[in-house]
Amino acid sequence: MLFCSCTTDHVQTPREGTRGWSCVCGLVSVTALSAPLKTTLCHCEDCRKWTGSVGQMAIWYRREDVICSGQLLEFKAGSRVRKSCAKCHSHILTSLPRAGLVEVCVGSAGISISLSAHFFYVTPLIDFGDEVPKFVDFPASLGGSGVRAESWDLHPDVTQAFHGKCLCGSVIVAVSGEPEMTAFCHCLECQKWTGSSGHFAVIFDEALVQIAGDLKTTSDGRRNCAKCLACIASTHCAKTPGLLQICGGILNSPPRLQGHWNYGQRVLSVRDGMAKFKDSPAEFGGSGAVLGEEAAPYVVTIQRKDEDLGLELSFSDRKCRVLKVRRRSLIHEWNQICASDSMVCIYDRLISINGMMATVREEREQLGRATGKIVLIIAKFRYFE
Ligand SMILES: [Zn+2]
Ligand SMILES: [Zn+2]
Ligand SMILES: [Zn+2]
Ligand SMILES: [Zn+2]
């Protein structure tokens, strides 16, 4: 067990107007003595594996401007030292000793922050849809190429078998089945735990998941690698018993996101057209309340012989909505090749089927048997800012 290496700073008292952070359990606190240099979301492989999420979201400071107290665990990876709370394993900061900089994980701040840049924005797990500068690696001032990302694809979702590893490789996860749901949880605890803007939770039946390697587990169900402290799994977002939320950032090919949970607590807004739940859907123990409204419709055109269309629909309040897109189906295939604003996502509203209103029960029933060319007009789900 190691202690925070910034011990020389522990005797300083924070000045007025400074900002303080703390981890989930409150053992570790961080105080910044100056204004931030910048705020970044780094989508690199290491940041993905450590956070178990989309990547580390951090506020940058000079090392001497950050006071850190409480017991920390350290993991050295290349030129970086990753530090986590010794008790709750919240990700606190990444230190760059040679550059004299620290990246304090934004989650522990619990405030809305404007991002200065995305790093390594090549195949993001979420397309944030923001106007923030995006780099292929990182800016030249930090030793990167400085090349701006002009186009990108979401991370491929092609796997037949989910497996993954933590940052150091000593924890291995293997899943023998399909996920129930994929949700990005924006709650403050998930921000603090992951060191990202939230927890990319791939929710499986716990019986399908095998985890090998030494873990540190907290009483509230969070599991981290005992060596690198990478986030591996948690049980706290979906309140349904028997489900385990594997961190998508450690998986070989994480499934596409199907919605945002606890969006009311977000630190970073996302414009990806997915459903934004205030807390979580009712079937996972939440209120089901959504923050959002529908945007312009999109058209899905599919040729079908006898394949599974893959669309599960619900009908209530005179609206026909997408409940689920089954994997290995025509709609799932469509989602791999279409533009991001034409992806069929849960809670999108089906308006028409081959020109007929989707609100008519017979039309919906016929869709299950329809062959040849199928044209669907669907309205994207969208939230209010
Ligand atoms: Zn803690
Ligand atoms: Zn990174
Ligand atoms: Zn590890
Ligand atoms: Zn959460």
Side-chain angles (χ1 to χ4, degrees):
M1 195 170 282
L2 296 160
F3 287 85
C4 168
S5 61
C6 38
T7 44
T8 51
D9 294 329
H10 286 175
V11 288
Q12 289 187 29
T13 16
R15 286 199 301 264
E16 217 182 319
T18 57
R19 293 156 66 193
W21 284 260
S22 72
C23 60
V24 171
C25 75
L27 178 72
V28 173
S29 64
V30 179
T31 306
L33 303 175
S34 68
L37 302 171
K38 55 181 165 286
T39 304
T40 59
L41 206 170
C42 180
H43 300 254
C44 82
E45 193 72 22
D46 275 15
C47 286
R48 242 180 229 179
K49 294 239 175 210
W50 190 53
T51 61
S53 185
V54 292
Q56 184 186 240
M57 185 171 168
I59 309 179
W60 294 57
Y61 294 96
R62 281 180 299 273
R63 186 178 174 278
E64 60 272 20
D65 289 339
V66 171
I67 301 173
C68 189
S69 68
Q71 196 181 4
L72 293 169
L73 297 172
E74 295 187 356
F75 178 73
K76 290 192 176 65
S79 59
R80 292 179 141 75
V81 186
R82 310 266 187 183
K83 302 188 184 187
S84 312
C85 169
K87 190 174 163 203
C88 69
H89 319 129
S90 289
H91 290 169
I92 307 297
L93 58 85
T94 294
S95 158
L96 297 134
R98 261 178 263 157
L101 296 168
V102 286
E103 302 167 43
V104 179
C105 295
V106 77
S108 304
I111 51 158
S112 250
I113 205 101
S114 68
L115 202 61
S116 345
H118 288 279
F119 292 172
F120 291 94
Y121 207 80
V122 182
T123 54
L125 295 191
I126 295 178
D127 189 1
F128 282 80
D130 54 26
E131 303 302 315
V132 174
K134 296 170 178 70
F135 291 87
V136 167
D137 46 21
F138 46 94
S141 58
L142 294 168
S145 73
V147 175
R148 293 287 190 97
E150 282 175 7
S151 64
W152 47 84
D153 293 311
L154 279 174
H155 196 275
D157 170 14
V158 292
T159 192
Q160 306 277 319
F162 295 96
H163 58 87
K165 273 184 193 164
C166 64
L167 176 59
C168 74
S170 58
V171 170
I172 296 172
V173 174
V175 188
S176 56
E178 302 287 320
E180 302 285 322
M181 175 68 75
T182 308
F184 193 85
C185 182
H186 294 255
C187 84
L188 183 56
E189 287 192 12
C190 284
Q191 293 170 30
K192 291 185 180 208
W193 180 51
T194 59
S196 188
S197 60
H199 173 19
F200 193 103
V202 187
I203 305 173
F204 291 100
D205 179 340
E206 192 161 10
L208 302 176
V209 181
Q210 283 194 311
I211 304 179
D214 283 347
L215 292 173
K216 284 181 178 288
T217 305
T218 57
S219 55
D220 48 3
R222 292 189 184 81
R223 297 163 205 196
N224 292 66
C225 168
K227 190 175 165 202
C228 68
L229 279 302
C231 295
I232 306 294
S234 80
T235 52
H236 103 286
C237 306
K239 306 293 181 204
T240 318
L243 297 180
L244 187 63
Q245 295 133 45
I246 297 294
C247 295
I250 64 166
L251 291 177
N252 57 327
S253 174
R256 292 277 158 84
L257 199 64
Q258 293 180 294
H260 294 267
W261 293 9
N262 290 307
Y263 197 67
Q265 296 180 47
R266 70 190 178 280
V267 71
L268 185 64
S269 291
V270 188
R271 291 179 188 85
D272 63 354
M274 304 279 163
K276 309 288 188 304
F277 289 89
K278 189 167 178 287
D279 42 59
S280 55
E283 58 269 41
F284 293 94
S287 71
V290 285
L291 302 168
E293 66 168 4
E294 291 157 344
Y298 59 95
V299 182
V300 176
T301 309
I302 275 173
Q303 283 291 338
R304 183 191 197 187
K305 285 184 210 147
D306 54 1
E307 307 90 319
D308 180 18
L309 191 63
L311 211 50
E312 291 181 22
L313 301 170
S314 75
F315 185 72
S316 65
D317 194 25
R318 286 172 309 198
K319 292 187 181 75
C320 176
R321 292 200 182 275
V322 176
L323 259 191
K324 188 174 183 178
V325 175
R326 285 191 291 272
R327 298 176 61 79
R328 290 195 275 286
S329 68
L330 290 174
I331 297 285
H332 183 76
E333 268 175 45
W334 164 269
N335 279 352
Q336 309 302 309
I337 54 164
C338 70
S340 65
D341 55 1
S342 312
M343 263 175 68
V344 183
C345 304
I346 62 160
Y347 293 94
D348 284 1
R349 182 165 63 91
L350 184 56
I351 299 169
S352 75
I353 303 162
N354 290 334
M356 308 301 282
M357 297 305 288
T359 46
V360 179
R361 183 162 56 91
E362 285 77 7
E363 296 301 333
R364 295 198 301 275
E365 287 173 353
Q366 265 189 14
L367 179 61
R369 300 183 294 272
T371 53
K373 187 178 177 186
I374 299 174
V375 180
L376 306 174
I377 296 181
I378 306 179
K380 263 260 160 269
F381 203 85
R382 204 186 244 181
Y383 63 95
F384 291 110
E385 275 296 337

